[in-house]
Amino acid sequence: VQDQALVINLSDAQDRTLSAEITGNGIIQVRYAKDDDAENDQVEFSNAQNSFNGAVVVDKNIQLTAVTGALGKENNSVDVQLEEGASLALKASQSGSTSYQYLQGLIAEKGNVEIGSNAQLVLRDSSILKGHLTGSGTLAIQNTELFTTVDTLNSFIGGEIQGTSASFVFDIEQEK
């Protein structure tokens, strides 16, 4: 991907696993174009060696499963945007030891995030997470703000939340 967009159209896909190495700069858009309404469709990014900068946009009702590292490395700048009903399921690329997924930012106002066992999701720029947060991994906020809700953080029963020079900004209006 070089300063362009890579569109993954799931309505035409036979194989739902992207195992090729992704490098360069640009936008990856995961979409379902037949009638613009995927019903719980999914795609997997399985290459932990991916090294790209840009954004990954997941259209509504699609689950992106990614092994740690598949959304870029520590020195990459990747933002993930989850549309309404979309989800990110992060799983460890190495069994038995913690593996990390660094993201520049995450926008999930109505999207959900699952962080699997031995996986750590590290957010390094202002992020929004107001959907469900589940799993048994770790969410780490580094030197930035996380806009969230009490319900979102309370839904993360099996996991751990860490903050280093982090601010948590709660949306009180959404709490009911």
Side-chain angles (χ1 to χ4, degrees), residues 72-87:
K73 301 279 178 271
E74 183 174 10
N75 60 339
N76 294 127
S77 176
V78 177
D79 292 295
V80 172
Q81 178 177 333
L82 302 174
E83 299 296 335
E84 182 176 352
S87 62

Side-chain angles (χ1 to χ4, degrees), residues 10-11 16 30-32 35-44 58-65 83-88 110-112:
L10 295 178
S11 64
R16 304 290 171 105
V30 181
R31 56 183 282 195
Y32 191 88
D35 55 15
D36 283 336
D37 194 21
E39 293 185 21
N40 302 319
D41 218 334
Q42 60 186 15
V43 64
E44 180 173 356
V58 183
D59 279 357
K60 63 182 180 178
N61 302 325
I62 296 174
Q63 176 177 308
L64 168 59
T65 300
E83 299 296 335
E84 182 176 352
S87 62
L88 169 63
K110 295 183 179 179
N112 303 310

Side-chain angles (χ1 to χ4, degrees), residues 68 92-101 116-122 137-138 162:
T68 51
S93 56
Q94 307 166 2
S95 61
S97 63
T98 301
S99 54
Y100 300 86
Q101 178 60 65
S117 177
N118 294 324
Q120 185 169 46
L121 175 59
V122 181
T138 302
Q162 301 174 350

Side-chain angles (χ1 to χ4, degrees), residues 2-161:
Q2 187 64 36
D3 294 326
Q4 299 181 43
L6 168 65
V7 177
I8 300 172
N9 185 347
L10 295 178
S11 64
D12 295 331
Q14 306 242 340
D15 183 359
R16 304 290 171 105
T17 301
L18 182 59
S19 58
E21 184 175 356
I22 303 169
T23 61
N25 304 303
I27 298 170
I28 300 172
Q29 182 178 11
V30 181
R31 56 183 282 195
Y32 191 88
K34 278 240 192 285
D35 55 15
D36 283 336
D37 194 21
E39 293 185 21
N40 302 319
D41 218 334
Q42 60 186 15
V43 64
E44 180 173 356
F45 288 14
S46 64
N47 192 327
Q49 302 308 309
N50 289 343
S51 178
F52 65 96
N53 296 294
V56 177
V57 179
V58 183
D59 279 357
K60 63 182 180 178
N61 302 325
I62 296 174
Q63 176 177 308
L64 168 59
T65 300
V67 298
T68 51
L71 298 171
K73 301 279 178 271
E74 183 174 10
N75 60 339
N76 294 127
S77 176
V78 177
D79 292 295
V80 172
Q81 178 177 333
L82 302 174
E83 299 296 335
E84 182 176 352
S87 62
L88 169 63
L90 190 63
K91 58 185 186 179
S93 56
Q94 307 166 2
S95 61
S97 63
T98 301
S99 54
Y100 300 86
Q101 178 60 65
Y102 294 88
L103 292 180
Q104 196 63 28
L106 173 68
I107 299 172
E109 288 201 52
K110 295 183 179 179
N112 303 310
V113 175
E114 178 183 353
I115 305 171
S117 177
N118 294 324
Q120 185 169 46
L121 175 59
V122 181
L123 302 176
R124 300 177 298 188
D125 204 351
S126 291
S127 295
I128 301 169
L129 178 54
K130 295 182 179 177
H132 292 287
L133 176 62
T134 60
S136 57
T138 302
L139 173 64
I141 315 301
Q142 291 184 347
N143 306 312
T144 193
E145 300 172 319
L146 176 64
F147 294 85
T148 189
T149 69
V150 171
D151 289 342
T152 297
L153 296 185
N154 283 341
S155 69
F156 198 41
I157 298 170
E160 178 181 349
I161 298 173

